[in-house]
Amino acid sequence: MMSTNNMFPAEEREADEAFIEQLVAATGEPDLFKGIDPSFWRSLDEETIEQMTYDYDQYDSDDSTGGMIFNIRNLEVRDSTSPHRLNLEIASQLIKKDKTSKARAILEDMPEFKLNPEKLEKEGLMWKETGLERGDLSPEGTEFVSWKMVRGYPEMFAKEMFTIEGLHKNRVWDIYYLHQPKTIHPKPGLFVPTYQFQHMLDTINARLEINLTIPPGKNEAKFRLGFGDGNTPRPRFLGRTHSADEFKDLCGLVPRPKPEDDIQQGTEEGQAKLISVLKMISNSHKKTEKAKKNAYKRFEAHLAWGHGLKRTQCYLGLREHKTAEDTAQPSAVRFVCIDVEAWEKNPNIITEVGVAILDTPNLKDMAPGENGQSWFEAIEARHFWVAEYTRAQNKKYVKGCPENFDFGETEVVQGKHVPETMETIIDNSPYPVVLVFHESGSDIKFLEAIKYNIYKAQSVLEIIDIKHMYQYAVRSNKQPSVSTVCEFLGIQTKNLHNAGNDAVYTLQAMIGLAAKQREESLKRARGEGVQVPRISQHHVPFAELVEKEGWTSGGEDSDGGRPVRPAQFEMNFSTYAPV
């Protein structure tokens, strides 16, 4: 390449050389840049740069974003004098040398570069013709991705762009087919070139300002499939599609297998490799379908948690009731929080039962205070230590402290009398009862071990689990402890794993979560402290992406709906549990 050292001002040449030095430092490969003129890009006009071609298949990187970062012809430069406008030769060499992950550390911080979605979409309609007729073998070395993988990636991001119509809108696909052994699948598999799939991700990233990539590591192989080893069959060209209708029509035009499509024509090693690839595709599809089902379960769970939070706010008087009269929530309830301690050596032995009670009429004319802490004084607490098992104290996994009840006097009772006490508190309540737990499933089973079944209690209106309230508040499926939730709310705790104390802290946490989330929802309704997402014709607001995960419950127009009766909760417990 002819040097341009004397064609540009010294300060510009120095800036270009400094940039090359940065890249040398980033890659640790000074030999990589020998013979490269750092100012070459300055000699090119816009038209020349625009006409430059870029071979997507040339990069081979463990960094799946490499192709996007160095796709120079899809980048718009805000500052035309920027020394960071790297010419294609440098980019190509970096990519071929597998140095994109190192160079990215520098290039990611350069604000001059941004993806141009209009150019990307234009390119998606102007792929070079393959020169193949229907049934012709694909060129050797072509990398493919299964159409099933295209459809399944990703289910929960930009979902409307991954419908069959969305996949074909403003996009051309070159479709290939491969007749699979009957033991794998009776129908031919469909494939598209990997570079076309990568281009689609680039386009979506540009439009939605997100970063979808081909997964790195071992999953990358699923998106870069190679065929033809050991004389085994390669995918054959089926046709080019410009719309969903064309694609559907094309799927019905797959030619019959040719003799050379028989896998038996290949070597044993080649056959084994092809079978492995096809099984990987099949298993990935099964995992994708399972992931879709799990995603739906998560959606349902998140939605249920949000509705439960809103109903709790209504019971506490923090939110207005909006449900129709015939299914209305009661105006007054009794919250009963229960915590059960079982012996670590035999979980069928119940050693302690803690109960915390809050009757909502007692909150009348009482301001909740910050995170509802002014209401804590209205909680009545009881601690039952089962007389038969006072020697059975937990020490190995958690340190029990049955003698350290901090909210009243411990009652040592015979185990047979505990169910009677539960009936007095719950079944004979003057108000409908809302049961409160942390990890409701385990405590409900422990109660059954002492012969008390909450599902038979007619007074129980529904069950609230603060674990789910917390998960909804922080938008996470991680399992929190009671201490984690209390710390989140600024509630000071001590002597945890005493059933009485745990019941009180759990009920305090329920009040705190309800009050804290209500205050935040009112701020959002007023537009305070909330960043409104940019909305344009091709941009999906963040709020809509959140809604796809179920992290929304209807805004101010919803009160959470009718209570979820314990029988329904029991029947649907697996649905509400996170997956």
Side-chain angles (χ1 to χ4, degrees), residues 219-248:
N219 286 323
E220 184 176 10
K222 300 174 184 178
F223 295 85
R224 300 189 185 282
L225 304 173
F227 295 93
D229 287 351
N231 201 38
T232 52
R234 301 197 304 271
R236 293 181 179 274
F237 185 65
L238 182 58
R240 173 167 288 190
T241 66
H242 300 78
S243 67
D245 289 338
E246 285 186 13
F247 175 79
K248 292 175 185 177

Side-chain angles (χ1 to χ4, degrees), residues 304-317:
W305 302 346
H307 289 160
L309 173 62
K310 281 188 172 180
R311 290 194 299 273
T312 302
Q313 292 169 341
C314 288
Y315 300 145
L316 289 168

Side-chain angles (χ1 to χ4, degrees), residues 430-441:
Y431 313 108
V433 173
V434 176
L435 294 177
V436 182
F437 297 95
H438 173 264
E439 294 280 7
S440 54

